[in-house]
Structure formats: structure tokens, C-alpha cells
Amino acid sequence: MRTTTGWQAAGPSRMRRTSLRRRDLRADDIALRVDFCGVCHTDLHALSDHEQHTEAPLVPGHEFTGVVTGTGRGVTAFSVGDPVAVGNIVDSCGVCAMCEAGQENFCHSFPTLTYGGTDRQDGSTTLGGYSREYVVREAFAYPLPAGLDPAAAAPLMCAGITVWEPLRALGVGPGTRVGVVGLGGLGHLAVKMAVALGATTTVISRTRDKSDDARELGAHDLIASSDTRRMGAARDTFDVVLDTVSVPHDLAPCLQLVAMDGTLSLLGYLGPVTVEAMHLLVGRKKLSSGGSGGRPATAEMLRFCADNGITADVEVLPSSQVDTAIDRLRRNDVRYRFVLDLSDLD
Ligand code: ZN
């Protein structure tokens, strides 16, 4: 076993610095020094749900970048010193129809999550990237393209891929009319990617407060959802609406924006929803969802971001301030993603 240092849950909003173990490298494993790890809404939910002393330790973190420090004897894609990125899936069965299709995120026997998952070989609980070292199968690590800032690229690995896959799957390209509901970690990357794909992109936000931010991100317009006149005028005008709001909310106003045969994709809130069938019937509208991405789409997303200079807008904090990052994210007090700098764990 290898030993490293990380941050372990000690309460819903409190982390404790701890020593933790990583497995010895299997033939197809790489070890990496984690330099930067994004703080995702999923981490907040995991911390809230985690029961102290009754479960395996919780070390969050599933969007990180770093440098390869070791390779198993069968590794071919990486060498020591390579910049590398890891997202929220670290293994899958590899043989089901979804895995065959390159959609490991939908693996029929459930993909192995980067933290809080169960290792497919030894049954141990996976511990995440709020730590200085991670060990992962090379197939679920991605070369970090040159030119992408490693801190600002970390959130691409969860927030980024989660919006990229639906944008691609729904055929967004030049001329597509895209609406992005909510301008947070997911939403701001959705705007940047949709704009770079050539879509006419509009942000739908509660108020007009974020108009300047939306424009700086490249959005063509912002509609305040409180503005009933503009919401009415925008009825049936978006081919694709990506809903990135992370709390329960009424879907009717979002569906009303969708054009005939268009799609509303739920990406932020993944609990039960209520939909009036009539709101789908009128205009043959489609309701969809998605989360994370498969290996091919993840690699494609990183190349696209490198080619188009896309990274997240981040606030980097030393990992010793992880509690601050968690508190402020709970209050939505970040534009748009916290990233922990783990170099203080040395
Ligand atoms: Zn995440």
C-alpha cells in the first residue's frame, strides 16, 4: 500500500486532514500527484448524506488534474511526468452494451465512481481527489492537452463533460438556438462550449444581475425568468435548453421555451420531477437528461477545449481552506467553480 495525505469528511461542512492509503499499482494503473481538484455540488450532497463513524471514510473530489508519478508494468498511454486529468468515473464493466458503445457513464453494472464507489477488484471504497495522490486505471485517465491551465481545466472533468455530452448528442452546432438555465459551474461551461460550437446561446437566469457575466462568457442574450413579457416572447424558440439548476424547480417555464421537436435536458437536479404531459404534447417536446460522459466524449471534450481555449472560470484556494470553499459553494458564492490547490499537502 502507498500512503498519501488528503481531506476526509468530519461533518457536513468540515473536513479533517488525514493520512490515507492508495493501492499498489496494478499492471494497468497509473499513480498521479493531484495538483488541482474542483469542488462540485455532488461533493456537498455527499458530505450532507455521509454519516460519521458508520461508513467508510469519505474523501470527496472527482474532477482533478496532476502529473503522472508512476506507471504499472502494462501501461502504454502514459509516462512519468505526463500531465493528466481524471473525472468522476474510474472504471466500468467494459463488456455491456453501454461500455461497448463508449458510454461507460451508463454502464449496466454501474460505473465505479471516483470516490464513494466500490473498487471492482478488491471491493474497497474509492477515495477521491481531495488528496495528494490518486491511483487509477490508465483507461480512465486522460492526457491533459498542452495549453490548458491545469487549475482551470480541473472542472472540465465533471462539470465540463456533463454539459458537453448533451450538447454533442443533441447535435448542437452553428445556428442551433441554445438556452442555458442557471449560470453556475455547469451553466458557465455550457455557455462557453455552446458558443464555441457556433450556437446562438442565451442564458436564462432568475434576474438580470448576471447579464454582464453572461455576455463576457460569450452568450448572445440573457433572459430573466422573472420577466414574464420576455419569457412569453421567447416561447418555443430554443432547439435545446440545458437546465443546470441544482435544486428542485418548476419545469413548466423551461419547457415553454423549447421549440417544436426540441429538447429540455435536465443536468443539475436529478431527483423526481413532475411534468404536465400537455407541456410535452404541444410542440412534441422532448425531456432528457445526462450526466458525466464516456471515454470517447471525454477525450473529445478535452481536445475541443484545448482547440478553443476553454477552461472554467475558477477561484483557486489552498486545500487547507476546503471548509471555506464548501460553505461558500453552499451559498452559491462563487463565479463559477472553486478549485483546491493541493500543494499544501506535501
Ligand atoms: Zn461533479
Side-chain angles (χ1 to χ4, degrees), residues 19-332:
S19 143
L20 53 99
R21 294 185 149 183
R22 296 293 182 196
R23 64 178 183 250
D24 291 324
L25 298 192
R26 299 168 187 153
D28 62 346
D29 274 344
I30 63 167
L32 61 131
R33 183 191 75 213
V34 182
D35 290 325
F36 298 102
C37 184
V39 180
C40 174
H41 267 280
T42 308
D43 304 343
L44 302 186
H45 297 309
L47 287 166
S48 302
D49 294 347
H50 184 69
E51 289 177 36
Q52 306 304 312
H53 314 299
T54 60
E55 296 175 38
L58 170 65
V59 177
H62 63 194
E63 45 179 45
F64 47 92
T65 58
V67 173
V68 176
T69 55
T71 55
R73 59 192 151 73
V75 168
T76 55
F78 292 95
S79 302
V80 169
D82 286 350
V84 61
V86 176
N88 53 16
I89 295 169
V90 290
D91 207 356
S92 71
C93 82
V95 294
C96 73
M98 287 296 188
C99 289
E100 291 270 310
Q103 295 284 179
E104 293 83 0
N105 48 328
F106 306 141
C107 174
H108 287 169
S109 52
F110 204 71
T112 306
L113 301 177
T114 304
Y115 69 85
T118 304
D119 183 84
R120 293 182 122 78
Q121 291 195 38
D122 63 20
S124 63
T125 298
T126 55
L127 306 174
Y130 289 12
S131 66
R132 194 54 162 152
E133 181 178 72
Y134 199 87
V135 173
V136 61
R137 283 186 69 195
E138 65 167 331
F140 288 84
Y142 302 84
L144 181 68
L148 286 183
D149 176 75
L156 297 177
M157 298 306 294
C158 174
I161 185 60
T162 289
V163 295
W164 174 256
E165 254 203 16
L167 285 169
R168 296 288 285 156
L170 295 169
V172 169
T176 310
R177 299 163 299 172
V178 172
V180 175
V181 183
L183 198 57
L186 293 176
H188 90 290
L189 283 170
V191 169
K192 290 188 185 193
M193 289 174 176
V195 169
L197 285 166
T200 304
T201 307
T202 301
V203 171
I204 295 95
S205 185
R206 262 173 309 198
T207 64
R208 293 203 53 79
D209 292 353
K210 291 183 175 172
S211 291
D212 291 344
D213 298 323
R215 224 181 324 273
E216 274 167 38
L217 293 167
H220 302 90
D221 197 4
L222 179 143
I223 299 175
S225 56
S226 54
D227 183 340
T228 46
R229 189 192 59 79
R230 285 217 63 200
M231 286 293 281
R235 178 180 179 162
D236 301 337
T237 60
F238 293 100
D239 305 302
V240 171
V241 174
L242 299 185
D243 182 343
T244 70
V245 176
S246 63
V247 293
H249 56 286
D250 185 7
L251 298 187
C254 301
L255 275 173
Q256 188 169 52
L257 297 173
V258 175
M260 187 164 79
D261 293 318
T263 301
L264 171 64
S265 184
L266 303 182
L267 303 173
Y269 174 71
L270 302 178
V273 297
T274 302
V275 179
E276 285 287 347
M278 285 303 287
H279 294 162
L280 298 172
L281 182 154
V282 179
R284 280 192 308 266
K285 299 177 183 186
K286 294 179 275 243
L287 182 62
S288 182
S289 182
S292 186
R295 294 167 54 217
T298 304
E300 177 197 59
M301 180 270 308
L302 282 171
R303 278 195 304 274
F304 180 84
C305 288
D307 290 347
N308 291 279
I310 294 175
T311 52
D313 290 6
V314 297
E315 185 174 334
V316 181
L317 292 176
S319 79
S320 57
Q321 291 182 37
V322 58
D323 290 358
T324 304
I326 288 164
D327 280 346
R328 286 184 50 201
L329 178 59
R330 274 219 170 85
R331 290 184 269 118
N332 277 323

